[in-house]
Amino acid sequence: MRANLDGSKIETLVDTSHGDPRPGSDATKWCVGIAVDIDGGKIYWTQKGGDNANAGRIFRANIEVPLGQSPANRQDIELLYDELPEPIDLDIDPTTRTLYWTDRGDPPRGNTVNRASLEAPPGKRKEPEVLFTHLMEGIGLALDLKNGRMFMTDLAGSVYSANLDGSNHQTLVAAQGNLTGIAYTEITTKEG
């Protein structure tokens, strides 16, 4: 969904419920993370599936619903990855055209941060690259593209940082309670 910053004009862009009540009991239909690719005109989202079920998926579609279609029957939805442990949060590096995401499922592909090219054509996508491991149910993800790093949270209450390639892994805080999302911003102050 999307809305104006004041909460007005709420609009559904994608409806995965297929008529089921929301959120419904089918976890494969639950949309969890979302990222917007302004340059590419797309939205990306995760549907995590059941706990450790390897039924998680990542999709994308155009930002605008195609004319004559509805959020429930739009034909431009593309499945990028399936059979993932439990993909959760997403972020995009528009310069390198790379999608990053956390996965809270079981190892070896879960409790990780992953990345993959946004430009790979269907049928020619490589397996996602695992950049960061040993999260305790990894949830939140935010990229600091200016400084070439990422920040992650997990349900065990830790905040981590690493370079965008997964190197220089650091634990910033630990055991802070269940942490989910994270956002990154630079704060500037006025001197004087």
Side-chain angles (χ1 to χ4, degrees), residues 74-143:
R74 59 187 298 169
Q75 300 299 304
D76 64 333
I77 296 174
E78 181 182 1
L79 173 65
L80 299 179
Y81 290 99
D82 64 355
E83 299 180 357
L84 299 173
E86 284 184 78
I88 303 294
D89 206 1
L90 301 161
D91 208 343
I92 292 172
D93 181 341
T95 304
T96 63
R97 308 295 302 145
T98 304
L99 179 68
Y100 290 76
W101 68 91
T102 55
D103 196 302
R104 70 178 274 189
D106 283 339
R109 291 175 45 213
N111 285 310
T112 57
V113 176
N114 306 270
R115 73 176 171 189
S117 171
L118 293 175
E119 304 302 328
K124 296 191 179 189
R125 288 192 181 88
K126 295 180 183 177
E127 282 291 311
E129 180 182 4
V130 176
L131 302 173
F132 193 100
T133 60
H134 297 93
L135 294 170
M136 299 300 290
E137 296 198 47
I139 305 288
L141 174 68
L143 302 182

Coordinates of all heavy atoms in Angstrom, one line a residue, residues 74-143:
R74 N -3.3 -7.8 -11.1 CA -2.3 -7.1 -12.0 C -1.4 -8.2 -12.6 O -1.1 -9.2 -11.9 CB -1.6 -6.0 -11.2 CG -0.9 -6.5 -10.0 CD -0.3 -5.3 -9.2 NE 0.7 -4.6 -10.0 CZ 1.2 -3.4 -9.6 NH1 0.8 -2.8 -8.5 NH2 2.1 -2.8 -10.4
Q75 N -1.0 -8.0 -13.8 CA -0.3 -9.0 -14.6 C 1.2 -8.7 -14.6 O 2.0 -9.5 -15.3 CB -0.8 -9.1 -16.0 CG -2.3 -9.5 -16.0 CD -2.6 -10.8 -15.4 OE1 -2.0 -11.8 -15.8 NE2 -3.4 -10.9 -14.4
D76 N 1.7 -7.7 -14.0 CA 3.1 -7.3 -14.0 C 3.9 -7.8 -12.8 O 5.1 -7.4 -12.7 CB 3.2 -5.8 -14.2 CG 2.7 -5.0 -13.0 OD1 1.8 -5.6 -12.3 OD2 3.2 -3.9 -12.7
I77 N 3.4 -8.6 -12.0 CA 4.1 -9.1 -10.8 C 5.1 -10.2 -11.3 O 4.7 -11.2 -12.0 CB 3.1 -9.7 -9.8 CG1 2.3 -8.6 -9.2 CG2 3.9 -10.4 -8.7 CD1 1.2 -9.0 -8.3
E78 N 6.3 -10.0 -10.9 CA 7.4 -11.0 -11.3 C 8.0 -11.6 -10.0 O 8.4 -10.9 -9.1 CB 8.5 -10.2 -12.0 CG 9.6 -11.1 -12.5 CD 10.7 -10.3 -13.2 OE1 10.6 -9.0 -13.3 OE2 11.7 -10.9 -13.6
L79 N 8.0 -12.9 -10.0 CA 8.7 -13.7 -8.9 C 10.2 -13.7 -9.2 O 10.6 -14.2 -10.3 CB 8.1 -15.1 -8.9 CG 8.9 -16.1 -7.9 CD1 8.7 -15.6 -6.5 CD2 8.3 -17.5 -8.1
L80 N 11.0 -13.1 -8.3 CA 12.4 -13.1 -8.5 C 13.1 -14.3 -7.9 O 14.0 -14.9 -8.5 CB 13.0 -11.8 -7.9 CG 12.5 -10.5 -8.5 CD1 13.2 -9.4 -7.8 CD2 12.8 -10.5 -10.0
Y81 N 12.7 -14.6 -6.6 CA 13.3 -15.8 -5.9 C 12.3 -16.5 -5.1 O 11.4 -15.8 -4.6 CB 14.4 -15.3 -4.9 CG 15.7 -14.8 -5.7 CD1 15.8 -13.4 -5.9 CD2 16.6 -15.7 -6.2 CE1 16.9 -12.9 -6.6 CE2 17.7 -15.2 -6.9 CZ 17.9 -13.8 -7.1 OH 18.9 -13.4 -7.8
D82 N 12.4 -17.8 -5.1 CA 11.4 -18.6 -4.2 C 12.3 -19.6 -3.5 O 13.5 -19.7 -3.6 CB 10.3 -19.2 -5.1 CG 10.8 -20.2 -6.1 OD1 12.0 -20.4 -6.3 OD2 9.9 -20.8 -6.7
E83 N 11.6 -20.4 -2.6 CA 12.2 -21.4 -1.8 C 13.3 -20.8 -0.9 O 14.3 -21.5 -0.6 CB 12.7 -22.6 -2.6 CG 11.6 -23.2 -3.4 CD 12.1 -24.4 -4.2 OE1 13.3 -24.7 -4.3 OE2 11.2 -25.1 -4.9
L84 N 13.1 -19.6 -0.5 CA 14.0 -18.9 0.5 C 13.5 -19.3 1.9 O 12.3 -19.5 2.1 CB 14.0 -17.4 0.3 CG 14.5 -16.9 -1.0 CD1 14.3 -15.4 -1.1 CD2 15.9 -17.3 -1.3
P85 N 14.5 -19.4 2.9 CA 14.0 -19.7 4.3 C 12.9 -18.8 4.8 O 11.8 -19.3 5.0 CB 15.3 -19.6 5.1 CG 16.4 -19.9 4.1 CD 15.9 -19.3 2.8
E86 N 13.2 -17.5 5.0 CA 12.2 -16.6 5.5 C 12.7 -15.1 5.2 O 13.1 -14.4 6.1 CB 11.9 -16.7 7.0 CG 11.1 -17.8 7.4 CD 10.9 -17.8 8.9 OE1 10.0 -17.0 9.4 OE2 11.6 -18.5 9.6
P87 N 12.6 -14.7 3.9 CA 13.1 -13.3 3.6 C 12.2 -12.3 4.3 O 11.0 -12.4 4.4 CB 13.0 -13.2 2.1 CG 11.9 -14.2 1.8 CD 12.0 -15.3 2.8
I88 N 12.9 -11.2 4.9 CA 12.1 -10.2 5.7 C 12.3 -8.8 5.1 O 11.5 -8.4 4.3 CB 12.6 -10.3 7.1 CG1 12.4 -11.6 7.8 CG2 11.8 -9.2 8.0 CD1 11.0 -12.1 7.9
D89 N 13.3 -8.1 5.4 CA 13.5 -6.7 5.0 C 14.3 -6.6 3.8 O 15.2 -7.5 3.5 CB 14.2 -6.0 6.2 CG 13.8 -4.5 6.2 OD1 13.1 -4.0 5.3 OD2 14.3 -3.8 7.1
L90 N 14.1 -5.5 3.0 CA 14.8 -5.3 1.8 C 15.3 -3.9 1.7 O 14.8 -2.9 2.3 CB 13.8 -5.4 0.6 CG 13.0 -6.6 0.4 CD1 11.8 -6.4 -0.5 CD2 13.9 -7.6 -0.3
D91 N 16.4 -3.7 0.9 CA 16.9 -2.3 0.6 C 17.6 -2.5 -0.8 O 18.0 -3.5 -1.2 CB 17.9 -1.8 1.7 CG 17.9 -0.3 1.7 OD1 17.4 0.4 0.8 OD2 18.3 0.2 2.7
I92 N 17.7 -1.3 -1.4 CA 18.3 -1.3 -2.8 C 19.4 -0.3 -2.9 O 19.4 0.8 -2.4 CB 17.1 -0.9 -3.8 CG1 16.1 -2.0 -3.9 CG2 17.7 -0.6 -5.2 CD1 14.9 -1.6 -4.7
D93 N 20.5 -0.7 -3.6 CA 21.5 0.1 -4.0 C 21.2 0.5 -5.5 O 21.5 -0.3 -6.4 CB 22.9 -0.5 -3.9 CG 24.0 0.4 -4.3 OD1 23.8 1.4 -5.0 OD2 25.2 0.1 -3.9
P94 N 20.7 1.7 -5.8 CA 20.3 2.0 -7.1 C 21.5 2.2 -8.1 O 21.4 2.0 -9.3 CB 19.5 3.3 -7.0 CG 20.0 3.9 -5.7 CD 20.4 2.8 -4.8
T95 N 22.7 2.5 -7.5 CA 23.9 2.8 -8.3 C 24.4 1.5 -8.9 O 24.7 1.4 -10.1 CB 25.0 3.4 -7.5 OG1 24.4 4.6 -6.9 CG2 26.2 3.8 -8.4
T96 N 24.5 0.4 -8.1 CA 24.9 -0.9 -8.6 C 23.8 -1.8 -9.0 O 24.1 -2.9 -9.5 CB 25.8 -1.6 -7.5 OG1 24.9 -1.9 -6.4 CG2 27.0 -0.8 -7.1
R97 N 22.5 -1.3 -8.9 CA 21.3 -2.1 -9.2 C 21.4 -3.4 -8.5 O 21.2 -4.5 -9.1 CB 21.2 -2.3 -10.8 CG 21.3 -1.0 -11.6 CD 20.2 0.0 -11.4 NE 18.9 -0.6 -11.6 CZ 17.8 -0.3 -11.0 NH1 17.8 0.5 -10.0 NH2 16.7 -0.9 -11.3
T98 N 21.5 -3.3 -7.2 CA 21.6 -4.5 -6.3 C 20.5 -4.5 -5.3 O 20.3 -3.5 -4.6 CB 23.0 -4.6 -5.7 OG1 24.0 -4.6 -6.7 CG2 23.2 -5.9 -4.9
L99 N 19.9 -5.6 -5.0 CA 18.9 -5.8 -4.0 C 19.5 -6.5 -2.8 O 20.2 -7.5 -3.0 CB 17.7 -6.6 -4.5 CG 16.6 -7.0 -3.6 CD1 15.8 -5.7 -3.2 CD2 15.6 -8.0 -4.2
Y100 N 19.3 -6.0 -1.6 CA 19.8 -6.6 -0.4 C 18.6 -7.0 0.4 O 17.6 -6.3 0.4 CB 20.7 -5.6 0.4 CG 22.0 -5.2 -0.2 CD1 22.1 -4.4 -1.3 CD2 23.2 -5.7 0.3 CE1 23.3 -4.0 -1.8 CE2 24.4 -5.4 -0.2 CZ 24.4 -4.5 -1.3 OH 25.7 -4.2 -1.8
W101 N 18.8 -8.1 1.2 CA 17.7 -8.5 2.1 C 18.2 -9.4 3.3 O 19.2 -10.0 3.2 CB 16.5 -9.2 1.4 CG 16.9 -10.6 0.8 CD1 16.7 -11.8 1.5 CD2 17.4 -10.9 -0.4 NE1 17.1 -12.8 0.7 CE2 17.5 -12.3 -0.5 CE3 17.8 -10.2 -1.6 CZ2 18.0 -13.0 -1.7 CZ3 18.2 -10.8 -2.7 CH2 18.3 -12.2 -2.7
T102 N 17.4 -9.3 4.3 CA 17.7 -10.2 5.5 C 16.8 -11.4 5.4 O 15.7 -11.4 4.7 CB 17.3 -9.5 6.8 OG1 16.0 -9.0 6.8 CG2 18.3 -8.3 7.1
D103 N 17.2 -12.5 6.0 CA 16.5 -13.7 6.0 C 16.6 -14.3 7.4 O 17.6 -14.5 7.9 CB 17.0 -14.7 5.0 CG 16.0 -15.9 4.8 OD1 15.6 -16.6 5.7 OD2 15.6 -16.0 3.6
R104 N 15.4 -14.5 8.1 CA 15.4 -15.0 9.5 C 15.3 -16.5 9.6 O 15.2 -17.0 10.7 CB 14.3 -14.3 10.3 CG 12.9 -14.7 9.9 CD 11.9 -14.0 10.7 NE 11.7 -14.7 12.0 CZ 10.7 -14.4 12.8 NH1 9.9 -13.5 12.6 NH2 10.6 -15.2 13.9
G105 N 15.2 -17.2 8.5 CA 15.1 -18.7 8.6 C 16.3 -19.4 9.1 O 17.3 -18.8 9.5
D106 N 16.3 -20.7 9.0 CA 17.4 -21.5 9.5 C 18.6 -21.4 8.6 O 18.4 -21.3 7.3 CB 16.9 -23.0 9.6 CG 16.1 -23.2 10.9 OD1 16.2 -22.4 11.8 OD2 15.4 -24.2 10.9
P107 N 19.8 -21.6 9.1 CA 21.0 -21.7 8.3 C 20.9 -22.9 7.4 O 20.2 -23.8 7.7 CB 22.1 -21.8 9.3 CG 21.6 -21.2 10.6 CD 20.1 -21.5 10.5
P108 N 21.7 -23.0 6.4 CA 22.8 -22.1 6.0 C 22.3 -20.9 5.2 O 23.0 -19.9 5.2 CB 23.7 -23.0 5.1 CG 22.7 -23.9 4.4 CD 21.6 -24.2 5.5
R109 N 21.1 -20.9 4.6 CA 20.7 -19.7 3.9 C 19.9 -18.7 4.7 O 19.7 -17.6 4.3 CB 19.9 -20.2 2.6 CG 20.8 -20.9 1.6 CD 20.0 -21.5 0.5 NE 19.1 -20.6 -0.1 CZ 17.9 -20.9 -0.7 NH1 17.6 -22.2 -0.7 NH2 17.1 -20.1 -1.2
G110 N 19.5 -19.1 5.9 CA 18.8 -18.2 6.8 C 19.7 -17.6 7.8 O 20.9 -18.0 7.9
N111 N 19.2 -16.7 8.6 CA 19.9 -15.9 9.6 C 21.1 -15.2 8.9 O 22.2 -15.2 9.3 CB 20.4 -16.7 10.8 CG 19.2 -17.0 11.7 OD1 18.5 -16.1 12.1 ND2 19.0 -18.3 12.0
T112 N 20.7 -14.6 7.7 CA 21.8 -14.0 6.8 C 21.3 -12.7 6.3 O 20.2 -12.3 6.4 CB 22.0 -15.0 5.6 OG1 20.7 -15.2 5.0 CG2 22.6 -16.3 6.1
V113 N 22.3 -12.0 5.6 CA 22.0 -10.9 4.7 C 22.5 -11.3 3.4 O 23.6 -11.9 3.2 CB 22.7 -9.6 5.2 CG1 22.5 -8.5 4.1 CG2 22.3 -9.1 6.5
N114 N 21.7 -11.1 2.4 CA 21.9 -11.6 1.0 C 21.9 -10.4 0.0 O 21.3 -9.4 0.3 CB 20.8 -12.6 0.6 CG 20.7 -13.7 1.6 OD1 21.4 -14.7 1.5 ND2 19.9 -13.5 2.6
R115 N 22.4 -10.6 -1.2 CA 22.2 -9.7 -2.2 C 22.2 -10.4 -3.6 O 22.7 -11.5 -3.7 CB 23.3 -8.6 -2.2 CG 24.7 -9.1 -2.7 CD 25.7 -7.9 -2.7 NE 27.0 -8.4 -2.9 CZ 28.1 -7.6 -2.8 NH1 28.0 -6.4 -2.5 NH2 29.3 -8.2 -3.1
A116 N 21.6 -9.7 -4.5 CA 21.5 -10.2 -5.9 C 21.2 -9.0 -6.8 O 20.7 -7.9 -6.4 CB 20.3 -11.1 -6.0
S117 N 21.6 -9.2 -8.1 CA 21.4 -8.1 -9.1 C 19.9 -7.9 -9.4 O 19.2 -8.9 -9.5 CB 22.1 -8.5 -10.4 OG 21.8 -7.6 -11.4
L118 N 19.5 -6.7 -9.6 CA 18.2 -6.3 -10.0 C 18.0 -6.5 -11.5 O 16.9 -6.6 -12.0 CB 17.9 -4.9 -9.7 CG 17.8 -4.5 -8.2 CD1 17.6 -2.9 -8.1 CD2 16.7 -5.2 -7.5
E119 N 19.1 -6.6 -12.2 CA 19.0 -6.6 -13.7 C 19.0 -8.0 -14.3 O 18.9 -8.1 -15.5 CB 20.2 -5.8 -14.2 CG 20.2 -4.4 -13.7 CD 18.9 -3.6 -14.0 OE1 18.3 -3.8 -15.0 OE2 18.6 -2.8 -13.2
A120 N 19.2 -9.1 -13.5 CA 19.3 -10.4 -14.1 C 18.0 -10.8 -14.7 O 16.9 -10.7 -14.1 CB 19.7 -11.4 -13.0
P121 N 18.0 -11.3 -16.0 CA 16.8 -11.6 -16.6 C 16.2 -12.9 -16.1 O 17.0 -13.8 -15.5 CB 17.2 -11.8 -18.1 CG 18.6 -12.1 -18.1 CD 19.2 -11.4 -16.8
P122 N 14.9 -13.1 -16.2 CA 14.3 -14.4 -15.7 C 15.0 -15.6 -16.3 O 15.3 -15.6 -17.4 CB 12.8 -14.3 -16.1 CG 12.6 -12.8 -16.3 CD 13.9 -12.2 -16.8
G123 N 15.1 -16.6 -15.5 CA 15.8 -17.8 -15.9 C 17.3 -17.8 -15.9 O 17.9 -18.8 -16.1
K124 N 17.9 -16.6 -15.7 CA 19.3 -16.5 -15.7 C 19.8 -15.8 -14.4 O 20.9 -15.3 -14.4 CB 19.8 -15.6 -16.9 CG 19.4 -16.3 -18.2 CD 20.1 -15.6 -19.4 CE 19.7 -16.4 -20.7 NZ 20.4 -15.9 -21.8
R125 N 19.0 -15.8 -13.4 CA 19.4 -15.3 -12.1 C 20.3 -16.2 -11.4 O 20.0 -17.4 -11.3 CB 18.2 -15.0 -11.2 CG 17.4 -13.9 -11.7 CD 16.3 -13.4 -10.7 NE 15.6 -12.3 -11.3 CZ 14.5 -12.5 -12.1 NH1 14.0 -13.6 -12.3 NH2 13.9 -11.4 -12.6
K126 N 21.4 -15.7 -10.9 CA 22.3 -16.5 -10.1 C 21.7 -16.7 -8.7 O 20.9 -15.9 -8.3 CB 23.7 -15.8 -10.0 CG 24.4 -15.7 -11.3 CD 25.7 -15.0 -11.1 CE 26.4 -14.8 -12.4 NZ 27.7 -14.0 -12.3
E127 N 22.2 -17.7 -8.0 CA 21.8 -17.8 -6.6 C 22.2 -16.5 -5.8 O 23.3 -15.9 -6.1 CB 22.6 -19.0 -5.9 CG 22.0 -20.3 -6.3 CD 20.6 -20.5 -5.7 OE1 20.4 -20.3 -4.5 OE2 19.7 -20.9 -6.4
P128 N 21.4 -16.1 -4.9 CA 21.8 -14.9 -4.1 C 23.1 -15.1 -3.4 O 23.4 -16.2 -3.0 CB 20.6 -14.8 -3.1 CG 19.5 -15.6 -3.7 CD 20.1 -16.7 -4.5
E129 N 23.8 -14.0 -3.2 CA 25.1 -14.1 -2.5 C 24.9 -13.8 -1.0 O 24.2 -12.8 -0.7 CB 26.0 -13.0 -3.1 CG 27.4 -12.9 -2.4 CD 28.2 -11.8 -3.0 OE1 27.8 -11.0 -3.8 OE2 29.4 -11.7 -2.6
V130 N 25.3 -14.7 -0.2 CA 25.2 -14.6 1.2 C 26.4 -13.7 1.7 O 27.5 -14.1 1.5 CB 25.2 -15.9 2.0 CG1 25.2 -15.7 3.5 CG2 24.0 -16.8 1.5
L131 N 26.1 -12.6 2.3 CA 27.1 -11.6 2.7 C 27.4 -11.7 4.2 O 28.5 -11.3 4.6 CB 26.7 -10.2 2.4 CG 26.3 -9.9 1.0 CD1 25.7 -8.5 0.9 CD2 27.5 -10.0 0.1
F132 N 26.5 -12.1 5.0 CA 26.6 -11.9 6.5 C 25.8 -13.1 7.1 O 24.7 -13.4 6.6 CB 25.9 -10.6 6.8 CG 26.2 -10.1 8.2 CD1 27.1 -9.1 8.5 CD2 25.4 -10.6 9.3 CE1 27.3 -8.7 9.7 CE2 25.6 -10.1 10.6 CZ 26.6 -9.1 10.8
T133 N 26.4 -13.8 8.0 CA 25.7 -15.0 8.6 C 25.7 -14.8 10.2 O 26.2 -13.8 10.7 CB 26.5 -16.2 8.3 OG1 27.8 -16.1 8.8 CG2 26.6 -16.5 6.8
H134 N 25.1 -15.8 10.8 CA 25.0 -15.9 12.2 C 24.1 -14.8 12.9 O 24.4 -14.5 14.1 CB 26.4 -16.0 12.9 CG 27.2 -17.1 12.4 ND1 28.0 -17.1 11.4 CD2 27.2 -18.4 12.9 CE1 28.6 -18.3 11.2 NE2 28.1 -19.1 12.1
L135 N 23.2 -14.3 12.2 CA 22.2 -13.4 12.8 C 21.3 -14.3 13.7 O 21.2 -15.5 13.4 CB 21.4 -12.7 11.8 CG 22.1 -11.6 11.0 CD1 21.2 -11.2 9.8 CD2 22.6 -10.5 11.8
M136 N 20.6 -13.8 14.6 CA 19.7 -14.5 15.5 C 18.3 -14.1 15.1 O 17.7 -13.3 15.7 CB 20.0 -14.3 17.0 CG 21.4 -14.7 17.4 SD 21.6 -16.5 17.2 CE 20.6 -17.1 18.4
E137 N 17.8 -14.6 14.0 CA 16.5 -14.2 13.3 C 16.7 -12.8 12.8 O 16.1 -11.9 13.3 CB 15.3 -14.4 14.3 CG 15.1 -15.9 14.6 CD 13.7 -16.1 15.2 OE1 12.8 -15.7 14.6 OE2 13.7 -16.8 16.2
G138 N 17.5 -12.6 11.8 CA 17.7 -11.3 11.2 C 16.4 -10.7 10.6 O 15.6 -11.4 10.0
I139 N 16.2 -9.4 11.0 CA 15.0 -8.7 10.6 C 15.3 -7.5 9.8 O 15.2 -7.4 8.6 CB 14.1 -8.4 11.8 CG1 13.8 -9.6 12.6 CG2 12.9 -7.7 11.4 CD1 12.9 -10.6 12.0
G140 N 15.8 -6.4 10.5 CA 15.9 -5.1 9.9 C 17.2 -5.0 9.0 O 18.2 -5.6 9.3
L141 N 17.1 -4.1 8.0 CA 18.2 -3.8 7.1 C 18.1 -2.4 6.6 O 17.0 -1.9 6.2 CB 18.2 -4.8 5.9 CG 19.2 -4.5 4.9 CD1 20.6 -4.8 5.4 CD2 18.9 -5.4 3.6
A142 N 19.2 -1.7 6.7 CA 19.3 -0.3 6.1 C 20.7 -0.1 5.5 O 21.7 -0.5 6.1 CB 19.0 0.7 7.2
L143 N 20.7 0.4 4.3 CA 22.0 0.7 3.7 C 22.4 2.1 3.9 O 21.6 3.1 3.8 CB 21.9 0.4 2.2 CG 21.5 -1.0 1.7 CD1 21.4 -1.1 0.2 CD2 22.4 -2.1 2.4

